[in-house]
Amino acid sequence: MSKKKFKGISTLTLHTAGHENDNFSHTTPIYATSTFTFNSTDEGIERFKGEDKSRLYTRWGNPTFNAAQDVIAALESHGINNEKGEPLELLAYLHSSGQAAMSTLFLSNLSTGDTLISHYSLYGGTQELMQKILVATGVTIILIDINDLALLETTIKENPNAKLIHLETPANPTLQCVDIEAICSVAHKHGLKVSVDNTVATPYLQQPFALGADFVFHSATKFLNGHGSALHGVLLGKDLEFMKTKVWKWHVLLGGNANAFDSYLLIQGMKTLEIRMEKHCSNTAKVAAYLDAHPAIAQVNYTGLKSHPHHAIANKQMKQHAPLISFELKGGIDAGMKFIDAVEVCTRAVSLGTVDTLVSHPASMTHMSIPKEERIKYGITDGLIRMSVGIENFEDLEADLAQALAKAGI
Ligand SMILES: *Cc1c(COP(=O)(O)O)cnc(C)c1O
């Protein structure tokens, strides 16, 4: 765990994974190795007995993963003190993907007979993981409108085996937000833990540990990497003992470890997190205003618009509005498909958080395997377009949107 403290985010992401290594490499070395050597049995015994198991066997950890984990832990704890008024210490475990980190989170916290409470409008993969894998292990899943705190309290009381509340805010792709602080205080009153998927906001915009969360999850594939060059997921926790024992054990036994090359890409990507996020956010505000005023568009979902139902919650817990929007074309499914086909600057692809603007159509892509009735209930309508706004020059994005909306015959 890095002990360095910095005032600003860019200094932190540039200098946390330092240059300390035997060969004076300026960038973090890629330790492409499955195992680590010992000079003697005594040295082996010492390392096995020690707390840091990252120089034994790579499924258990690796110095390149450690460097990436340290940066993310520093970002999520930046400027936060614990109950004793000391700087918050976190442990982060890097995984091969967001889904792997989510599996560790759920399986290390829940077992047969337990209940997980969550809310509508989750990332498609999270919802499927809950309903196809967790349910099969004997865990009950309850999805509610979790901003209704009275309903949350009743649900907790009626389900004494509820152990964990999982939140995703803002949610991908509807941008619905839930009030982390209010939900954590209800949860903690009843002895439940809370995990927060902070993928869309990033720690630059929102720090769930400052609002009471017990665990934070990221698909680091998205804004943390920033360039769409690899998949990674990270699970962070503030109960260091629980992280070092149960969570670590489940992580290494499930085998969802990261790899050194992808960890290196993540470290490089995070160096520019602050300047990327600033540009992503300012471009998004302009794109949302442009789309909101366009006659062909029925609705724009962006937490920065006063019309967004969770604008106030987003203002309360985020430093700026996240650079993800979705919008509904008046022409429905046909217009949506024509629009996607007509873009020339925006990239047609799923995923989000890359330096270039990505456009996708959730109903036929990310949320295809969720039954239509259910998907519509969560706000994922047929004509919904999701846009992860990149760092291009705004004038080029505006011109592309104008021509694509025109070509789509709307
Ligand atoms: C992408 C994503 C995930 C899953 O992460 P992978 O890295 O694709 O496994 C989970 N939650 C959210 C909000 C995501 O956007």
Side-chain angles (χ1 to χ4, degrees):
M1 224 181 300
S2 173
K3 297 274 182 257
K4 291 182 198 164
K5 293 283 166 226
F6 300 108
K7 288 206 171 82
I9 296 298
S10 289
T11 323
L12 182 163
T13 59
L14 290 167
H15 293 286
T16 299
H19 330 275
E20 306 87 10
N21 58 79
D22 292 345
N23 291 310
F24 312 102
S25 168
H26 174 215
T27 55
T28 305
I30 299 170
Y31 288 94
T33 183
S34 58
T35 194
F36 297 83
T37 60
F38 329 113
N39 289 316
S40 65
T41 44
D42 280 350
E43 198 184 301
I45 291 165
E46 280 312 304
R47 265 193 266 157
F48 269 94
K49 279 202 301 203
E51 277 213 343
D52 179 9
K53 304 249 187 310
S54 67
R55 282 153 187 87
L56 287 165
Y57 183 60
T58 279
R59 181 154 48 74
W60 293 15
N62 173 299
T64 321
F65 309 175
N66 277 9
Q69 290 169 177
D70 284 351
V71 178
I72 302 170
L75 281 168
E76 284 292 359
S77 60
H78 183 67
I80 306 176
N81 286 337
N82 64 18
E83 301 83 40
K84 293 182 204 142
E86 297 155 352
L88 180 69
E89 275 196 49
L90 299 173
L91 268 173
Y93 296 130
L94 193 65
H95 291 67
S96 56
S97 67
Q99 289 301 112
M102 191 76 84
S103 303
T104 300
L105 166 68
F106 290 156
L107 296 172
S108 62
N109 276 285
L110 299 159
S111 54
T112 311
D114 290 343
T115 296
L116 168 71
I117 300 175
S118 190
H119 54 92
Y120 302 129
S121 187
L122 297 168
Y123 171 72
T126 304
Q127 178 146 351
E128 272 200 276
L129 179 64
M130 287 178 180
Q131 288 174 342
K132 300 202 170 136
I133 312 268
L134 272 189
V135 166
T137 68
V139 172
T140 302
I141 313 292
I142 300 180
L143 302 182
I144 58 169
D145 173 4
I146 210 159
N147 280 323
D148 181 343
L149 298 178
L151 174 65
L152 174 62
E153 192 130 27
T154 317
T155 309
I156 294 173
K157 285 185 186 150
E158 284 172 359
N159 294 278
N161 290 337
K163 296 272 157 61
L164 182 72
I165 296 183
H166 180 69
L167 309 178
E168 180 181 321
T169 183
N172 169 11
T174 57
L175 283 310
Q176 298 201 23
C177 298
V178 297
D179 187 331
I180 301 171
E181 196 170 29
I183 294 164
C184 284
S185 77
V186 174
H188 292 155
K189 201 167 83 185
H190 296 279
L192 275 76
K193 289 183 180 174
V194 180
S195 54
V196 178
D197 183 336
N198 202 27
T199 301
V200 171
T202 80
Y204 184 63
L205 302 180
Q206 171 175 282
Q207 290 175 295
F209 287 113
L211 304 167
D214 300 285
F215 300 98
V216 168
F217 161 93
H218 280 277
S219 166
T221 311
K222 314 292 168 53
F223 290 106
L224 288 179
N225 173 300
H227 301 75
S229 58
L231 264 74
H232 356 243
V234 67
L235 176 59
L236 300 107
K238 64 182 179 190
D239 179 344
L240 304 184
E241 210 34 51
F242 185 72
M243 289 299 287
K244 280 183 209 160
T245 52
K246 189 123 189 220
V247 176
W248 185 77
K249 200 46 128 188
W250 259 243
H251 167 46
V252 302
L253 292 177
L254 288 167
N257 55 278
N259 72 71
F261 182 63
D262 289 353
S263 304
Y264 168 82
L265 293 174
L266 178 57
I267 294 163
Q268 293 301 101
M270 288 191 293
K271 288 180 181 175
T272 54
L273 180 72
E274 177 170 22
I275 54 167
R276 279 190 287 109
M277 291 307 289
E278 284 293 330
K279 182 73 177 172
H280 279 295
C281 291
S282 64
N283 267 355
T284 309
K286 292 182 199 164
V287 166
Y290 173 79
L291 292 172
D292 198 41
H294 199 287
I297 289 160
Q299 193 186 327
V300 179
N301 302 312
Y302 169 54
T303 63
L305 291 174
K306 289 204 182 71
S307 59
H308 191 279
H310 301 146
H311 179 67
I313 299 178
N315 275 343
K316 179 182 164 195
Q317 61 194 17
M318 286 163 57
K319 292 189 192 95
Q320 292 183 55
H321 295 280
L324 185 69
I325 61 178
S326 56
F327 55 94
E328 180 75 34
L329 292 163
K330 283 185 184 155
I333 189 122
D334 287 349
M337 289 168 81
K338 275 191 200 154
F339 171 84
I340 294 267
D341 285 339
V343 294
E344 288 168 1
V345 174
C346 301
T347 308
R348 279 173 288 275
V350 294
S351 197
L352 61 102
T354 60
V355 277
D356 55 330
T357 297
L358 304 182
V359 290
S360 68
H361 183 218
S364 67
M365 299 171 182
T366 44
H367 288 65
M368 193 178 96
S369 53
I370 295 176
K372 183 172 169 173
E373 265 172 40
E374 229 175 293
R375 142 168 94 64
I376 300 223
K377 198 163 87 192
Y378 307 147
I380 299 147
T381 47
D382 284 347
L384 193 77
I385 303 287
R386 191 188 68 183
M387 190 169 177
S388 167
V389 181
I391 63 168
E392 293 92 345
N393 300 100
F394 172 68
E395 298 68 30
D396 290 315
L397 290 178
E398 186 183 35
D400 193 35
L401 292 171
Q403 70 78 26
L405 288 168
K407 257 195 216 147
I410 311 157

